[in-house]
């Protein structure tokens, strides 16, 4: 069934009345429905009179077609095809006067009308077409005027919400008052942001939204076609879907004209959301600028920093840990950065509401209570971020910072941990500054050519993978050095026979030198193996 309200590109609402309502006008009091009862909900937007044989070329959708059967008087066999032709062109119904030109309708025509749900109406002989045209068109125009007046009232009320600086609470309250229904504003993740209406109806609406989840809900029609029980329209701004406005009426009285008001409310909600995003963007910039100054030691005295941090809801007087989440290369940086900030903000809200979090150009920095499990915070943020691949980020954690004065040092530690962790473990790495060890020193060497030369000179032929056995031999050497040349322990770890390992040691010494007796060579080999582990060098 076509909706009775259509939003044209110009914003004009074209309204109509149902076939069932047409049968209720006084001039059709004696009219009788012959067939097509299932189509009484079809919408009549215009009327037409068929008194020419080629009327199909002139009919339009949503028309009530009136006829005396005059064009069909000589070809009654064409009546059987007429219903299908009219239904295919989207007409609402056919009203006919019998007895003058056509005595009765063929059984085939009646059966087809019932099958298609296309209403056939028998008109009283004493009612003129002009009376029907005048009364039905008057009803349509009156309905149109009422809908426009109601829409204008809604428009003024909703615009006033925006002008008064109202938010989603005021939007939902306004719609609930206009439509006398329960209304909810839902974000893109299915979270209810604001509700209005009778409490029991709101509870039922929340339950329905919970079942549907974040997807835009379908529209349910109440029994008997009286109206909708649940209607949902999207909130779209700047090409992005921000959620939806949902209305609920247990009596099923949400009409199609009400959906037009919901669409206006969704437009106002989009303005509210856009305005709030602009405000949040400005606030986020202030927070980020302040936190950057704190972490670089440019924010002033400890008392000034503490006072300003308290204004943002942050507690920097307690011992804290600094975490840096840095986007890994090869992702859509702009959109990924926005999602990264959102995921870390949500994770901090759950674990430490008084902690500081802000997004910089390529990273997110969080300052969390030292008593909070920083690894758990990072894991929660990573889990949320993983829902929208393919971007990843690496996380570094500092040592605990006892006060504001040491935050710059803690920030540097976290940043170093994130970057060295990525070199060691690849994208998505999580590293603590205390776990970096000698890699901290190696990461300070900016001349990567010198590091490559050191590896080649120290490892000789084992520096490359030209031979398939080289990686296996390097693994044997690494375990030997880790166990301080304990042959039995190395054999156990590598699952080698003792004699096999003795043979490998001999081969390694022929390639690298007598490292079992030279502690300086062992140190150089250990450093070379560490360099090989660092990616991007």
């Amino acid at each position: 069934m076509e909706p009775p309200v259509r939003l044209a590109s110009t914003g004009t609402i074209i309204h109509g009345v149902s076939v069932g309502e047409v049968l209720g006008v006084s001039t059709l009091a004696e009219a009788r429905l012959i067939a097509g009862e299932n189509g009484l909900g079809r919408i009549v937007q215009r009327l037409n009179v068929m008194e020419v044989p080629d009327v199909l070329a002139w009919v339009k959708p949503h028309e009530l077609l009136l006829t005396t059967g005059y064009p069909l008087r000589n070809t009654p066999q064409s009546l059987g095809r007429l219903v299908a032709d009219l239904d295919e062109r989207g007409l609402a119904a056919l009203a006919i006067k019998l007895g003058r030109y056509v005595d009765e309708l063929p059984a085939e025509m009646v059966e087809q009308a019932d099958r298609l749900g296309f209403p056939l109406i028998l008109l009283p002989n004493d009612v003129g077409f002009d009376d029907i045209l005048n009364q039905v068109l008057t009803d349509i125009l009156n309905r149109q005027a009422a809908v426009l007046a109601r829409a204008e009232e809604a428009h003024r009320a909703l615009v006033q919400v925006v002008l008064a600086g109202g938010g989603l609470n005021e939007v939902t309250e306004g719609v609930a008052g206009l439509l006398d229904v329960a209304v909810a504003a839902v974000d893109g993740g299915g979270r209810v942001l604001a509700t209005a209406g009778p409490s029991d109806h709101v509870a039922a609406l929340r339950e329905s939204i919970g079942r549907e989840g974040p997807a835009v809900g379908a529209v349910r029609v109440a029994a008997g076609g009286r109206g909708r029980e649940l209607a949902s329209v999207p909130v779209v701004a700047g090409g992005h879907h921000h959620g939806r406005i949902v209305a609920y009426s247990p009596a099923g009285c949400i009409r199609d004209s009400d959906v037009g008001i919901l669409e206006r409310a969704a437009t106002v909600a989009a303005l509210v959301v856009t305005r709030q995003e602009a405000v949040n963007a400005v606030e986020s910039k202030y927070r980020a600028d302040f936190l950057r100054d704190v972490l670089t030691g440019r924010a002033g005295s400890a008392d000034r920093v503490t006072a300003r941090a308290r204004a943002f809801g942050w507690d920097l007087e307690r011992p804290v840990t600094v975490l840096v989440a840095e986007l890994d290369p090869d992702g859509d940086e702009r959109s990924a950065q926005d999602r990264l900030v959102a995921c870390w903000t949500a994770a901090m809200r759950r674990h430490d509401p008084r902690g500081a979090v802000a997004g910089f150009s390529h990273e997110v920095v969080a300052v969390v209570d030292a008593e909070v499990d920083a690894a758990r915070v990072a894991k929660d943020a990573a889990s949320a971020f993983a829902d929208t691949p393919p971007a990843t980020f690496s996380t570094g954690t500092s040592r605990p910072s006892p006060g504001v004065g040491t935050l710059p040092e803690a920030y540097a530690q976290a940043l170093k941990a994130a970057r060295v962790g990525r070199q060691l473990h690849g994208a998505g790495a999580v590293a603590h500054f205390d776990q970096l060890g000698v890699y901290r020193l190696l990461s300070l060497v900016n001349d990567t050519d010198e590091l490559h030369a050191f590896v080649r000179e120290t490892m000789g032929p084992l520096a490359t993978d030209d031979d398939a056995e080289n990686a296996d031999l390097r693994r044997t050497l690494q375990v030997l050095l880790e166990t301080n040349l304990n042959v039995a322990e190395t054999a156990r770890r590598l699952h080698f026979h003792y004699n096999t390992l003795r043979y490998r040691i001999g081969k390694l010494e022929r390639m690298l030198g007598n490292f079992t007796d030279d502690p300086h060579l062992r140190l150089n080999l250990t450093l070379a193996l560490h360099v090989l582990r660092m990616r991007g060098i």
Side-chain angles (χ1 to χ4, degrees):
M1 183 181 71
E2 293 287 342
V5 177
R6 177 169 60 83
L7 191 62
S9 60
T10 60
T12 303
I13 297 177
I14 301 174
H15 195 78
V17 295
S18 69
V19 175
E21 290 173 313
V22 169
L23 289 173
V25 301
S26 59
T27 55
L28 296 179
E30 302 299 323
R32 181 166 60 88
L33 182 69
I34 301 174
E37 183 178 1
N38 290 337
L40 289 178
R42 292 186 182 224
I43 300 305
V44 178
Q45 292 178 346
R46 56 180 64 87
L47 286 85
N48 198 353
V49 178
M50 180 180 71
E51 296 299 355
V52 293
D54 60 343
V55 70
L56 292 177
W58 306 99
V59 296
K60 296 178 181 179
H62 304 298
E63 278 187 347
L64 171 60
L65 191 58
L66 308 176
T67 184
T68 60
Y70 178 75
L72 307 170
R73 66 193 187 285
N74 297 323
T75 55
Q77 64 276 12
S78 63
L79 287 171
R81 298 191 305 271
L82 183 61
V83 167
D85 290 337
L86 296 178
D87 179 69
E88 183 180 347
R89 286 162 175 76
L91 267 72
L94 174 65
I96 188 169
K97 286 186 178 183
L98 296 178
R100 186 168 184 182
Y101 300 108
V102 177
D103 293 328
E104 61 180 5
L105 299 179
E108 176 189 356
M109 183 179 185
V110 175
E111 291 173 1
Q112 191 173 55
D114 275 328
R115 185 171 66 254
L116 296 174
F118 184 85
L120 291 179
I121 302 170
L122 178 61
L123 294 174
N125 287 323
D126 58 346
V127 176
F129 284 175
D130 58 339
D131 293 330
I132 299 173
L133 291 167
N134 287 334
Q135 191 165 17
V136 175
L137 286 174
T138 298
D139 280 2
I140 291 174
L141 292 174
N142 287 341
R143 183 71 60 86
Q144 170 78 353
V147 169
L148 291 175
R150 191 160 176 260
E152 182 62 25
E153 177 191 356
H155 177 74
R156 285 197 300 268
L158 293 171
V159 167
Q160 187 58 38
V161 168
V162 178
L163 296 177
L168 292 177
N169 285 325
E170 288 74 19
V171 171
T172 54
E173 288 172 4
V175 176
L178 287 166
L179 304 183
D180 194 24
V181 295
V183 180
V186 185
D187 68 10
R191 185 165 59 98
V192 177
L193 304 177
T195 60
S199 58
D200 53 339
H201 295 177
V202 169
L205 177 56
R206 283 181 175 274
E207 183 180 350
S208 177
I209 292 170
R211 289 195 302 267
E212 292 169 7
V216 175
V219 173
R220 290 205 298 270
V221 180
R226 293 167 296 163
R228 298 173 180 179
E229 182 181 287
L230 184 71
S232 174
V233 296
V235 176
V236 180
H240 299 288
H241 184 275
H242 295 279
R244 51 192 170 121
I245 298 292
V246 188
Y248 169 72
S249 169
C253 60
I254 300 176
R255 294 166 295 180
D256 293 289
S257 57
D258 297 335
V259 176
I261 293 176
L262 287 177
E263 289 172 343
R264 291 173 181 259
T267 301
V268 172
L271 292 173
V272 170
V273 170
T274 303
R275 182 187 64 198
Q276 189 58 49
E277 285 184 345
V279 172
N280 291 342
V282 173
E283 291 180 350
S284 295
K285 183 179 184 306
Y286 281 125
R287 286 195 295 268
D289 289 346
F290 171 62
L291 187 58
R292 184 184 289 108
D293 288 344
V294 171
L295 297 176
T296 54
R298 301 196 303 264
S301 66
D303 291 341
R304 182 173 181 272
V305 169
T306 299
R308 285 197 63 188
R310 194 179 296 116
F312 287 122
W314 301 342
D315 182 1
L316 301 184
E317 296 179 279
R318 55 190 176 164
V320 293
T321 301
V322 177
L323 294 95
V324 170
E326 192 175 50
L327 282 172
D328 296 319
D330 304 326
D332 183 355
E333 190 169 304
R334 178 53 187 267
S335 62
Q337 177 68 12
D338 292 341
R339 290 190 290 108
L340 187 63
V341 173
C343 292
W344 273 90
T345 300
M348 286 289 290
R349 191 183 298 119
R350 288 192 297 271
H351 293 277
D352 185 12
R354 295 186 301 158
V357 60
F360 297 166
S361 57
H362 303 285
E363 66 198 41
V364 173
V365 180
V367 182
V368 63
D369 188 345
E371 299 296 324
V372 172
D373 186 350
R376 180 66 180 275
V377 178
K379 183 178 179 181
D380 282 3
S383 297
F385 194 73
D387 290 340
T388 49
T392 58
F393 64 87
S394 297
T395 306
T397 306
S398 74
R399 292 170 175 164
S401 170
V404 171
T406 57
L407 280 176
E409 181 183 354
Y411 171 60
Q413 293 172 357
L415 195 59
K416 174 70 70 175
R419 294 177 179 175
V420 175
R422 183 189 296 113
Q423 285 183 305
L424 290 174
H425 308 296
V430 178
H432 193 286
F433 182 75
D434 284 338
Q435 298 170 345
L436 300 182
V438 71
Y439 294 108
R440 286 167 50 197
L441 300 178
L442 293 175
S443 68
L444 296 175
V445 180
N446 295 323
D447 190 346
T448 57
D449 290 337
E450 184 63 31
L451 288 174
H452 284 302
F454 173 75
V455 172
R456 288 194 302 271
E457 293 169 4
T458 305
M459 301 292 295
L462 284 185
T464 67
D465 288 328
D466 294 340
D467 190 321
E469 189 183 14
N470 283 356
D472 196 27
L473 286 172
R474 287 198 301 268
R475 172 63 178 160
T476 301
L477 176 63
Q478 178 181 334
V479 177
L480 274 169
L481 295 172
E482 288 175 354
T483 60
N484 197 26
L485 302 182
N486 187 324
V487 178
E489 176 62 16
T490 301
R492 186 188 67 79
R493 286 194 191 183
L494 297 175
H495 307 289
F496 287 162
H497 189 275
Y498 183 85
N499 291 334
T500 301
L501 183 57
R502 295 300 306 176
Y503 168 78
R504 283 184 169 241
I505 293 173
K507 186 173 183 177
L508 285 169
E509 289 198 316
R510 288 192 296 274
M511 298 175 71
L512 305 173
N514 188 19
F515 66 88
T516 56
D517 293 325
D518 186 346
H520 295 291
L521 179 56
R522 289 200 298 274
L523 175 60
N524 288 342
L525 290 171
T526 300
L527 289 174
L529 288 172
H530 283 321
V531 171
L532 284 175
R533 285 192 62 194
M534 297 183 72
R535 308 183 185 205
I537 292 181

